[in-house]
Amino acid sequence: NTCLSAMPKVKIGIIGGSGLNNPELLKNGVEKTVDTQFGQPSDVLIEGQIQGVDVVLLARHGRHHTINPTNVNYRANIWALKTLGCTHVIVSAAVGSLKEEIKPGQFVVPDSFIDRTTKRIQTFYDGSPNGLPGVCHIPMEPAFCPTTRKILLETAQELGLTVHPKGNLVVIEGPRFSSKAESNMYRSIGGSIIGMTLVPEVVLAKEAGLCYACVAMATDYDCWFDHVVDVPSVLATFKQNVDNIIKLFVNVIPRIAEQDWTDILANNELTVKNGIQSEQV
Ligand code: ADE
């Protein structure tokens, strides 16, 4: 089929991904140590196939969860996925809920974010000898790839998961959780859910021209809801529901692969090109 063979082959990076490295899901898995001009990614990357589609798995916090959200080398992670030829990056994230109707165990496919981080490099174009040349003002609307979001959402709905179709993800520096006053402030400024890792990951994915989307799992009500947020309760909810994320990704991957992304990928590159300012105005 000439039409199919003309389609660019997709390769899907998956960040988060605990459980996806199960050899029953991942075929022909090979560990790849990638060193980048931005330093070391969080761990080795695992290349293989899920449902016959090329994928690359990366554990955001390292496979033993030793890297805190501030210290994750987001630039190396995204650059490594780009270097291995990824066209897409789909990620999972554990988040707190800032809205009563988003209940622990439920999913959200965020469509925007509010950045409250303070210590992270958000660009590859940083003016350093290792960085890319020029200054890049990348647009953040849409923050996520609309087509990849749509596939995540529709697949989650078909699988019968409770999924909220949009939401603003507040990203805090962490590693501490929010105070009650902060939590209420984030509610009042329009936050739907709260986490610690989406920024700068989403920004860098955009600078790299990747189709990026996130499925967030609410693990708790943050502390505005007179609710104690602690690691054991967050982990317990995450563990109860992680199989749903795996099921979702396993079903999303072939659906991404069956689409023609030629125009979207070209448009991503154009967005980056138009964001770069390399001469004085
Ligand atoms: N990750 C999971 N729950 C969270 C919360 N309440 N605040 C920030 N990050 C989180």
Side-chain angles (χ1 to χ4, degrees), residues 93-97 170 172 176-178 194-196 217-223 229 234:
V95 297
S97 170
V170 177
I172 57 172
R176 68 170 177 87
F177 291 120
S178 305
I194 181 164
M196 302 180 189
M217 183 210 292
T219 54
D220 55 83
Y221 264 123
D222 207 37
C223 66
V229 185
V234 165

